[in-house]
């Protein structure tokens, strides 16, 4: 027995009060009697009734005691607590919403069959008085309904209808099955007897107590282009590697490779006017193969560059969304670098050539070193290096590096003081932490001659000498400027690795690659970084504008996406593309997985309470009736 309101036991104080009343109550009263005869007669009758009268008084006291006790117990709300047993009739339904569920047998997709079969189970459960929970196992699993019974059957059926409405709820990505099972565990905490049903087309060797309903059709099969890569060979020509897959059938597949915009607009582009093909035989023991197209396959014409490559298989399989693949990035953007110096050195040219080689997968870097009598340009380049020799006006369409400035160009935002020579062992001190000084140790850089920077509006000061700024940087939409206020000919910097670090960091910080790849899978995070003033991504009927010039997106639809950005001059537009494909694991429509996640939880015990107030009330009324009868006899 349990008590819902234990404070009700304070009512037992009334029992103590009753006892005190009986203790202080007088046993007799002294009265004057006018006749001794009447007194004797009364005493005669009283002596005869003493034994019964005493017993009657005890019984009345006990009844009153029990009445007060029961009243106190009633205030404490007595109940009998029992653990509520689980309901085996409750069903948790999980429907796989991964891309492989879009496979069709010509009549219906796997997802449609899963929804139909799951709905029949839900109807049967509701008709038999059970509860239904429906979980959609997508990349982010969610409850469609949770623990609804027959009184909410309309909501349950509406949830099933929504799964097939407006093109269906099935995704092109992979399902987070572990996350879906974790949601099911939320239901199991309240009813550990609930049964989990998982509707999928994936075969699981160990189901771990989950009822797996496989909706795959034995006639389904899939041919897929799993990926495509273009790599330089030893002759600096591209070779195309294509990954093919064939699942569920023994088949001879022909893959087609079409190169668009080969080698620019030169005469060699005509060698790629046709589509090239290769045929491979697949059997169930060899589901995936890599096919390579070399110069010989292209009719002997080397492939130096391309706009994009289209790869496809032309078959009538059960899943067509992975039958093609588009490869971009074969035409590198050109970064033009100009170096102007009144006393040129070979170090800038050497480091630029090293950077050109290491960044050849991202950029085509052109380096122009001006002769002493050549006029320096202030537009048309992406990176300007001015050493000693300063322009009249600072360029605004690219990155500008001013080394040992002899004057302050208009628009640079700096004001110069005098030129000073110091001890050759003088070293720099670190300033504001910045990406430009990654891996740079300022304390090992020595200077012997520098120009005093009196004012530097909008600059961050990255290194100092004796409190005076020596390395400064500005990054604005129309002003990307770095200043080295010391003479390299009077510094050890050009002989230190820090020189290369500073130059590499300037490329990575001011001239970043917009995309780190041109090929992604559904669910991948695409990170974008603009090197201009505007950035937007369009594809599959949608457009996203990144106002901060950086951002990321997760593509949910396969296909080609276009990245458009304006450069610093506000006029030049750069267009890049990337392709999003179905995850390779989803193309394998016959995949087998070792086991499902285990749905193991510590059940939350639900308590049922049997109310005893009615029974105590019956006892109370009965005692009050008995006490009334005893009192009536006592007074008789």
């Amino acid at each position: 027995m349990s008590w819902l309101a234990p404070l009700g036991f304070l009512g037992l104080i009334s029992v103590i009060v009753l006892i005190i009343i009986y203790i202080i109550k007088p046993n007799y009263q002294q009265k004057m009697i006018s006749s001794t005869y009447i007194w004797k007669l009364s005493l005669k009758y009283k002596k005869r009734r003493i034994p019964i009268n005493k017993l009657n008084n005890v019984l009345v006291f006990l009844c009153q005691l029990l009445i007060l006790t029961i009243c106190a117990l009633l205030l404490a709300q007595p109940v009998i607590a029992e653990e509520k047993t689980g309901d085996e009739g409750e069903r948790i339904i999980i429907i796989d919403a991964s891309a492989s569920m879009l496979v069709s047998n010509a009549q219906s997709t796997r997802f449609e069959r899963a929804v139909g079969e799951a709905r029949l189970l839900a109807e049967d459960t509701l008709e038999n008085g059970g509860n239904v929970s429906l979980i959609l196992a997508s990349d982010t699993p969610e409850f469609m309904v949770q623990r609804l019974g027959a009184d909410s059957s309309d909501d349950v059926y509406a949830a099933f209808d929504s799964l097939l409405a407006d093109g269906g709820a099935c995704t092109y990505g992979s399902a987070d099955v572990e996350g879906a099972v974790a949601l099911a565990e939320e239901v199991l905490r309240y009813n550990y007897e609930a049964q989990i049903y998982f509707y999928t087309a994936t075969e699981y060797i160990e189901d771990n107590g989950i009822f797996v309903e496989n909706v795959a059709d034995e006639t389904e099969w899939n041919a897929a282009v799993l990926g495509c890569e273009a790599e330089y060979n030893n002759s600096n020509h591209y070779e195309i590697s294509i990954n093919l897959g064939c699942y569920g059938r023994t088949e001879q597949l022909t893959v087609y490779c079409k190169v668009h915009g080969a080698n620019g607009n030169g005469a060699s582009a005509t060698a790629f006017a046709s589509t090239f093909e290769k045929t491979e035989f697949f059997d169930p023991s060899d589901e995936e193969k890599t096919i390579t197209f070399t110069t010989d396959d292209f009719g002997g014409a080397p492939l130096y560059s391309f706009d994009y490559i289209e790869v496809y298989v032309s078959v009538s399989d059960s899943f067509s969304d992975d039958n093609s693949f588009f490869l971009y990035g074969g035409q590198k953007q050109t970064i033009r670098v100009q170096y102007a110096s009144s006393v040129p050195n070979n170090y800038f040219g050497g480091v630029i050539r090293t950077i050109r080689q290491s960044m050849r997968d991202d950029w085509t870097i052109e380096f122009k070193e001006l002769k002493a009598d050549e006029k320096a340009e202030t537009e048309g380049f992406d990176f300007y290096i001015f050493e000693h020799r300063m322009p009249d006006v600072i360029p605004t369409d690219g990155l500008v590096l001013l080394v040992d400035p002899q004057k302050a160009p208009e628009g640079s935002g700096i004001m110069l003081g005098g030129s000073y020579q110091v001890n050759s062992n003088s070293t720099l001190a670190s300033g504001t932490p910045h990406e430009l000084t990654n891996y740079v140790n300022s304390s090992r850089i020595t200077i012997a001659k520098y120009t005093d920077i009196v004012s530097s509006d909008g600059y961050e000061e990255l290194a100092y000498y004796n409190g005076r700024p020596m390395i400064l940087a500005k990054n604005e939409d129309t002003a990307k400027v770095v200043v080295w206020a010391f003479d390299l000919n009077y510094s050890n910097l050009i002989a230190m690795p820090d020189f290369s670090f500073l130059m590499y960091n300037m490329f990575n910080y001011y001239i970043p690659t917009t995309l780190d790849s041109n090929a992604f899978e559904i669910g991948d995070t695409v990170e974008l970084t603009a090197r201009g003033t505007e950035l937007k991504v369009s594809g599959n009927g949608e457009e996203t504008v990144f106002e901060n010039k950086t951002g990321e997106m997760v593509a949910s639809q396969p296909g080609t996406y276009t990245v458009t950005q304006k450069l610093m001059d506000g006029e030049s537009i750069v267009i890049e593309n990337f392709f999003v494909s179905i995850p390779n694991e989803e193309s394998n429509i016959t995949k087998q997985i070792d086991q499902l996640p285990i749905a193991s939880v510590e059940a939350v015990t639900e308590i049922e309470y049997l109310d005893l107030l009615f029974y105590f009330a019956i006892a109370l009324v009965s005692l009050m009736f008995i006490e009334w009868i005893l009192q009536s006899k006592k007074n008789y």
Side-chain angles (χ1 to χ4, degrees), residues 484-511:
W484 296 353
F486 52 90
D487 191 339
L488 289 178
N489 295 318
Y490 293 84
S491 171
N492 70 342
L493 177 59
I494 52 180
M496 302 291 289
D498 303 78
F499 180 67
S500 297
F501 293 152
L502 286 168
M503 295 298 292
Y504 269 102
N505 292 340
M506 276 191 280
F507 268 92
N508 291 329
Y509 180 70
Y510 287 108
I511 314 176

Side-chain angles (χ1 to χ4, degrees), residues 254-484:
T254 299
V255 59
Y256 299 90
C257 178
K258 188 172 184 179
V259 182
H260 296 261
N263 301 334
N265 297 319
S268 59
T270 58
F272 295 87
S274 61
T275 301
F276 306 94
E277 63 183 64
K278 279 190 175 182
T279 301
E280 286 287 338
F281 180 80
F282 289 81
D283 59 43
S285 63
D286 191 13
E287 296 178 331
E288 299 178 6
K289 291 185 178 182
T290 299
I291 299 173
T292 303
F293 286 84
T294 65
T295 300
D296 292 337
D297 299 309
F298 296 137
L303 179 61
Y304 299 104
S305 65
F306 57 88
D307 288 340
Y308 67 96
I309 296 174
E310 179 183 1
V311 179
Y312 60 93
V313 288
S314 182
V315 293
S316 297
D317 58 356
S318 303
F319 187 41
S320 60
D321 290 294
D322 57 4
N323 288 1
S324 60
F325 194 99
F326 289 82
L327 180 63
Y328 297 94
Q331 187 69 49
K332 308 304 178 187
Q333 295 182 41
T334 299
I335 301 299
R336 302 185 67 208
V337 182
Q338 174 187 266
Y339 171 51
S341 175
S342 58
V343 185
N345 62 63
N346 297 324
Y347 295 101
F348 280 107
V351 74
I352 292 297
R353 283 188 287 271
T354 302
I355 293 174
R356 175 168 55 195
Q357 182 64 22
S358 65
M359 293 186 171
R360 67 175 188 170
D361 290 338
D362 300 318
W363 310 112
T364 297
I365 298 178
E366 295 180 355
F367 179 68
K368 181 179 181 180
E369 182 177 345
L370 300 181
K371 297 178 181 180
D373 58 346
E374 283 187 276
K375 180 182 178 181
E377 300 290 344
T378 55
E379 60 180 18
F381 287 84
D382 301 284
F383 190 1
Y384 301 86
I385 303 173
F386 296 100
E387 185 182 23
H388 315 303
R389 170 185 174 185
M390 297 292 110
D392 294 329
V393 179
I394 200 80
T396 58
D397 62 345
L399 167 63
V400 180
L401 172 60
L402 305 179
V403 181
D404 186 29
Q406 301 301 303
K407 67 176 183 178
E410 181 182 342
S412 64
I414 61 172
M415 291 182 61
L416 305 181
S419 181
Y420 300 91
Q421 288 190 346
V422 295
N423 189 296
S424 60
N425 293 324
S426 301
T427 58
L428 301 184
S430 298
T432 304
H434 198 280
E435 293 181 47
L436 291 181
T437 53
N438 286 344
Y439 313 111
V440 175
N441 186 350
S442 299
S443 64
R444 63 188 179 190
I445 300 174
T446 64
I447 63 171
K449 184 179 179 181
Y450 73 91
T451 299
D452 188 21
I453 306 293
V454 177
S455 174
S456 53
D457 183 30
Y459 284 84
E460 294 182 86
E461 299 175 350
L462 311 185
Y464 297 93
Y465 167 70
N466 199 25
R468 307 307 298 171
M470 291 292 106
I471 300 178
L472 306 92
K474 177 190 287 190
N475 186 15
E476 298 175 355
D477 284 348
T478 57
K480 301 181 186 298
V481 185
V482 177
V483 180
W484 296 353

Side-chain angles (χ1 to χ4, degrees), residues 104-363:
S104 174
N105 63 359
Q107 282 79 38
S108 60
T109 65
R110 293 173 168 181
F111 186 73
E112 291 169 344
R113 296 196 293 272
V115 172
E117 293 183 17
R119 180 173 184 137
L120 292 177
L121 176 64
E123 291 175 353
D124 181 69
T125 302
L126 295 175
E127 290 174 359
N128 287 281
N131 289 340
V132 170
S133 297
L134 177 60
I135 299 172
L136 184 67
S138 60
D139 54 346
T140 53
E142 60 178 324
F143 275 110
M144 304 302 293
V145 295
Q146 185 174 3
R147 305 199 73 193
L148 296 186
D151 55 342
S152 301
S153 59
D154 289 343
D155 293 334
V156 175
Y157 300 145
F160 278 98
D161 292 338
S162 69
L163 295 180
L164 300 179
D166 300 327
C170 193
T171 69
Y172 286 100
S174 298
D176 182 4
V177 178
E178 186 173 349
V181 173
L183 291 181
E185 290 176 349
E186 295 183 15
V187 178
L188 293 179
R189 288 189 180 97
Y190 297 97
N191 182 8
Y192 56 87
E193 295 290 346
Q195 297 176 333
I196 304 175
Y197 286 79
F198 183 33
Y199 289 85
T200 182
T202 301
E203 182 179 350
Y204 291 89
I205 298 175
E206 178 60 49
D207 57 32
N208 288 324
I210 296 175
F211 296 96
V212 178
E213 303 294 333
N214 198 316
V215 296
D217 190 309
E218 61 181 9
T219 64
E220 296 167 342
W221 74 285
N222 185 40
V225 180
L226 303 175
C228 180
E229 293 182 353
E231 297 180 346
Y232 279 112
N233 58 20
N234 294 331
S235 302
N236 287 328
H237 304 158
Y238 276 121
E239 291 185 353
I240 312 302
S241 298
I242 303 169
N243 295 327
L244 286 184
C246 185
Y247 310 97
R249 179 187 290 187
T250 298
E251 191 72 25
Q252 183 170 288
L253 292 182
T254 299
V255 59
Y256 299 90
C257 178
K258 188 172 184 179
V259 182
H260 296 261
N263 301 334
N265 297 319
S268 59
T270 58
F272 295 87
S274 61
T275 301
F276 306 94
E277 63 183 64
K278 279 190 175 182
T279 301
E280 286 287 338
F281 180 80
F282 289 81
D283 59 43
S285 63
D286 191 13
E287 296 178 331
E288 299 178 6
K289 291 185 178 182
T290 299
I291 299 173
T292 303
F293 286 84
T294 65
T295 300
D296 292 337
D297 299 309
F298 296 137
L303 179 61
Y304 299 104
S305 65
F306 57 88
D307 288 340
Y308 67 96
I309 296 174
E310 179 183 1
V311 179
Y312 60 93
V313 288
S314 182
V315 293
S316 297
D317 58 356
S318 303
F319 187 41
S320 60
D321 290 294
D322 57 4
N323 288 1
S324 60
F325 194 99
F326 289 82
L327 180 63
Y328 297 94
Q331 187 69 49
K332 308 304 178 187
Q333 295 182 41
T334 299
I335 301 299
R336 302 185 67 208
V337 182
Q338 174 187 266
Y339 171 51
S341 175
S342 58
V343 185
N345 62 63
N346 297 324
Y347 295 101
F348 280 107
V351 74
I352 292 297
R353 283 188 287 271
T354 302
I355 293 174
R356 175 168 55 195
Q357 182 64 22
S358 65
M359 293 186 171
R360 67 175 188 170
D361 290 338
D362 300 318
W363 310 112

Side-chain angles (χ1 to χ4, degrees), residues 33-41:
I33 305 298
S34 59
S35 172
T36 58
Y37 175 78
I38 296 175
W39 169 254
K40 290 180 180 179
L41 184 62

